[in-house]
Amino acid sequence: MTDKNTKQKLIYIKRYADILDEDISMNIYTIVRKSPHQSALRDSQCDQGIYLNVSELDEELIDNIYSMIKRRVDSIILK
């Protein structure tokens, strides 16, 4: 099995983003906020959640988010 390229990871993240639980969402928020040069992720007028344009992140962050979502998907499939 070959590793996915960045575009494939972005598609995977978009496809499975709705199955994230609160813990994984908070982990993603934390790693993105701790990265240098990131602006606020939450629109101050929006109380519906946090929206993140993942395609604007660097490759390392995309890899981390992809790994978290992949583990979540794999754990649901194995249940």
Side-chain angles (χ1 to χ4, degrees):
M1 184 167 157
T2 62
D3 287 335
K4 294 182 182 298
N5 64 32
T6 302
K7 183 176 179 180
Q8 291 170 320
K9 289 177 184 177
L10 290 171
I11 292 169
Y12 189 91
I13 289 168
K14 183 177 179 181
R15 180 177 299 145
Y16 292 108
D18 359 347
I19 67 164
L20 298 181
D21 60 14
E22 189 174 335
D23 290 336
I24 294 173
S25 298
M26 286 306 297
N27 285 342
I28 290 171
Y29 179 80
T30 302
I31 65 167
V32 171
R33 289 299 293 146
K34 287 184 176 180
S35 65
H37 311 296
Q38 288 299 320
S39 59
L41 301 177
R42 183 187 296 271
D43 179 351
S44 59
Q45 298 176 349
C46 176
D47 60 357
Q48 298 289 319
I50 297 169
Y51 299 95
L52 174 65
N53 188 350
V54 182
S55 62
E56 293 178 359
L57 300 176
D58 66 30
E59 205 165 317
E60 183 179 344
L61 288 174
I62 292 170
D63 288 343
N64 290 338
I65 293 169
Y66 168 79
S67 296
M68 283 189 268
I69 292 175
K70 180 143 177 43
R71 281 193 303 268
R72 174 73 173 149
V73 169
D74 290 347
S75 73
I76 289 172
I77 290 172
L78 293 175
K79 286 185 179 180

